[in-house]
Amino acid sequence: MLGCAPMGVRIIPLGGLGEVGMNAMLIEEGSRRVLVDCGVMFPNDQVLGVEVAIPDLSYVREVGGIDAVLVTHGHEDHIGGLPSLLREFPVPVYGTRFTLRLVRERLVEHGIEVPLREVEPQQHFTAGPFRAEPLRVTHSIPDAVGFAIETGEGIVIHTGDYKIDLTPVGGDRLDLGRFAEYGRAGVVALLSDSTNSERDGWSVSETAVAEGFVRPFREAKGRILVALFASNVHRVQSVLDLAAQLGRKVVLAGRSLATNTRIAEEIGILTIPPGVLVDDATAATLPPKRLIVLASGAQGEPNSALARMAVGDHHRLRVDPGDTVIFSSRAIPGNEIAVSQLANRLARRGAVVIDRGLDPIHASGHAQAEEQKMLLDAVRPEHFVPIHGEYRMLLAHARTALRMGVPASGVFVIEDGESLVIEEGQMRTGNAVKSGRVWLDARGGLDVSQIVLREREQISDQGLVMVLVVADRKTGEVLRGPELLGRGVAHFEEGGPLFAAALASARDALAALSPAARTLGPALEDALSRGVRRVFRREASRRPAVLPLAVLL
C-alpha cells in the first residue's frame, strides 16, 4: 500500500461514523492529507477509570503524518483530541476565531505550540494539497463552519455539525446561498451531519428557547439554576439578558463555562449587561430570589459544579427547597442514567426540577430531517456520505438522501476505518485502514490498553483473589503460604467450602512444582494462578481476577 501514492482522492473516517463523538475525517490526495476535526468520546459506565477516548492514529503514523488540521467548531467531540494529535504531528490548525481561542486554551494546558491560522467564511485558504473555503453554519456554539474543499476530483463539502435556524440568537444563519452556489457549480461529494436524522420536521430555534425561559424564570420563587453545555454561548447570552430584565444577578458555576464566557466576551460574541454577572462569593450573600446560577454539568459529570451542589458539597453555592433547576440540555446517548440520578438528587434537596415544559427550554444544534432535505436540495451532490452519528442515524440520513434524488449508486454508508475513493468523478469503496479508540486515563492522559480495561471490568464484576507465597530463593522451600485474600468475591469467606477448595488447589499446585521451579518467581506465580482459577471455573462457574504474589527471600 505504501509503495506508491494512491490514485484519486480518499475519504477515511478515523472517528465519528458509527458512534456519537470522536469526530475525525481524513481527506487524502496522492501522498498528502488533511484531517477535519480531531475530537474525543466520553466513556460510559462500562469503561472504568478512564476520562476520554481519542481516535487511533495508527494509519496517520503509517503514512507519515498529515499536512494540516481543519476544525469545524469548538466542541470537545471535535477538538478534544488535538493535544494528543499535535504533540505527535505539530502541523498548522485552521479554524475560525472563537474556535481557535478554545483550541489555544487546550494546547496551552498541554504545553503544545503549533501555528493557529484564523480563517473566515467565504475567504479561501490553502491547507496541505487543498484549497478550501469555510462555509458559515449554525450550531449550538458560535463561529461554526463547514468546509468546501477543492480536490483534483472536484469539490468535497464537509458540513461539520449544523442546523438551519432562521432566527438564531447570535444572528449568523447557515449560508444556504453559498452552499447552493457550490451545488450549481457541481459537488462531487457531500459529507453531512447525521445526529438528528431520525427526527422528522425541524429543530427548535434558539430564539424559541430564549422565549421559553421567560415563564419559568418569572414563576420561580427562589434561586434559578440553569444546567447547560458550557459551550452554548448564545444560551448564556439569553439568560444574561433575561436576568437583567428581571433584576436578578448571574453567577457562573464551572471552570469551562467561565472560560468560554470570558473568551466570547473578549472577541465580541457575547455582551454582558452591566452589573449582572457576580462572583460566587457575592452570589452566596444574595437572597435566593435575586440569583440565577448558570452551571455546567448537565450531563451528570460527577465532579461538576452542579453535581457538587446536588450533594451539598459546593464551597459557596447551594440548592434549597423552593429553588428551580432547569435542565437546558438533552442527555448525550449513554448519559441518561447519570442525568436522571443527578435530577433525583436535586429533587431530594427540595428543588423544582424542569427538564421539559410547556415552553421549549432546550434546542438541539443538529439538523432534523426537513433541514437535511433543504441542504441536500441546495447542494445536489453527485455522491452522499452521512457522517457524525451512530449507524442507525447514518442509515436514516442515507434514506433521506435517496428520497431527495441522490442515486442509490451514489450513497455510501461507511464506518470508522472504512474508506471511499473518488477517481475520475466516480466514488467507490476502498481498502480499510486501522482505526479504533485509544482510552486515556483520568489523571496522566496515558493510554489505557484493552487488557487493562478488561481486567478492571473483571474485578468490578466478579472481584479479586490474591494468593501469597514466600519461598527460599536458593532452595525453593516454601517458607509461608499459600495464603488467600478475597475482595468483592461472593461466597469466599475464610473457612467456607469455596475458600477451602481454592486453598487446597493452590497447595497442590505448589507441591507439583520441583524445588528448582519454586526458585523462579514467574513459574511460581503462574502455578498459583492456575490452581485458584481452576477451582472457580469448576465449582463456581465464575472468573474473578486472580493476583498471585511470589516473594523470594
Side-chain angles (χ1 to χ4, degrees), residues 2-19:
L2 299 179
C4 60
M7 299 294 290
V9 171
R10 293 223 298 167
I11 297 171
I12 308 171
L14 299 179
L17 273 72
E19 61 203 357

Side-chain angles (χ1 to χ4, degrees), residues 83-118:
S84 296
L85 171 75
L86 298 174
R87 184 180 293 111
E88 189 170 355
F89 306 103
V91 298
V93 179
Y94 295 82
T96 56
R97 190 178 184 190
F98 183 67
T99 300
L100 288 189
R101 285 294 300 272
L102 297 180
V103 169
R104 181 181 293 115
E105 291 280 335
R106 283 147 186 79
L107 297 186
V108 168
E109 289 177 4
H110 291 268
I112 297 171
E113 290 188 23
V114 298
L116 300 180
R117 296 178 177 166
E118 186 177 323

Side-chain angles (χ1 to χ4, degrees), residues 134-406:
L135 302 175
R136 173 69 67 196
V137 300
T138 306
H139 188 40
S140 55
I141 188 172
D143 245 3
V145 294
F147 290 103
I149 301 171
E150 299 178 15
T151 76
E153 296 292 336
I155 297 293
V156 174
I157 291 182
H158 186 298
T159 67
D161 289 351
Y162 80 94
K163 66 186 289 187
I164 298 178
D165 189 342
L166 301 180
T167 57
V169 168
D172 289 324
R173 299 186 183 92
L174 179 143
D175 193 349
L176 194 62
R178 190 63 181 137
F179 277 95
E181 288 177 14
Y182 273 107
R184 288 190 290 271
V187 173
V188 69
L190 173 64
L191 285 56
S192 188
D193 173 21
S194 305
T195 308
N196 271 347
S197 58
E198 297 176 297
R199 292 172 172 256
D200 294 331
W202 289 75
S203 61
V204 174
S205 170
E206 189 63 33
T207 299
V209 176
E211 295 168 351
F213 280 151
V214 173
R215 184 199 302 265
F217 275 38
R218 290 190 183 280
E219 292 177 352
K221 305 302 182 184
R223 297 179 190 84
I224 301 170
L225 292 87
V226 181
L228 76 176
F229 290 109
S231 58
N232 201 328
V233 172
H234 297 318
R235 201 160 299 168
V236 171
Q237 183 72 73
S238 298
V239 172
L240 291 171
D241 291 343
L242 187 53
Q245 295 174 29
L246 298 177
R248 287 189 181 241
K249 303 295 184 181
V250 176
V251 61
L252 304 177
R255 179 185 174 192
S256 57
L257 185 60
T259 298
N260 293 349
T261 300
R262 170 179 56 80
I263 292 172
E265 184 188 22
E266 288 173 356
I267 66 178
I269 290 176
L270 181 142
T271 302
I272 300 176
V276 166
L277 205 59
V278 297
D279 59 27
D280 55 0
T282 302
T285 68
L286 293 173
K289 64 181 180 181
R290 292 199 56 211
L291 183 63
I292 297 174
V293 180
L294 271 174
S296 57
Q299 296 302 307
E301 298 93 326
N303 295 319
S304 68
L306 187 61
R308 296 200 306 273
M309 284 186 276
V311 295
D313 192 36
H314 195 281
H315 65 294
R316 292 190 189 276
L317 302 176
R318 53 191 293 172
V319 178
D320 290 329
D323 290 348
T324 299
V325 180
I326 300 173
F327 278 83
S328 185
S329 62
R330 188 177 76 188
I332 295 172
N335 289 355
E336 294 88 352
I337 293 176
V339 174
S340 178
Q341 290 173 341
L342 175 60
N344 279 317
R345 291 190 192 102
L346 291 162
R348 287 190 183 98
R349 299 189 72 83
V352 177
V353 178
I354 302 174
D355 61 2
R356 60 185 62 87
L358 298 174
D359 305 299
I361 56 172
H362 174 62
S364 173
H366 300 273
Q368 297 183 189
E370 290 304 314
E371 297 156 82
Q372 293 171 347
K373 289 177 184 178
M374 180 172 283
L375 190 69
L376 280 159
D377 185 61
V379 176
R380 298 184 178 274
E382 298 173 38
H383 305 93
F384 177 74
V385 184
I387 61 174
H388 299 179
E390 296 177 358
Y391 194 75
R392 68 180 193 277
M393 302 170 186
L394 305 180
L395 284 177
H397 205 176
R399 288 192 290 268
T400 297
L402 292 172
R403 288 194 292 270
M404 293 303 295
V406 181

Side-chain angles (χ1 to χ4, degrees), residues 7 40 49 52 60 106 117 122 134 212 253 333 374 402 438-439 456 478 547 552:
M7 299 294 290
V40 298
V52 294
V60 175
R106 283 147 186 79
R117 296 178 177 166
Q122 298 194 9
M374 180 172 283
L402 292 172
V438 177
W439 292 104
R456 290 178 179 177
V478 175
L547 177 62
L552 299 177

Side-chain angles (χ1 to χ4, degrees), residues 133 465-466 509 531:
E133 177 188 340
V465 175
M466 291 172 280

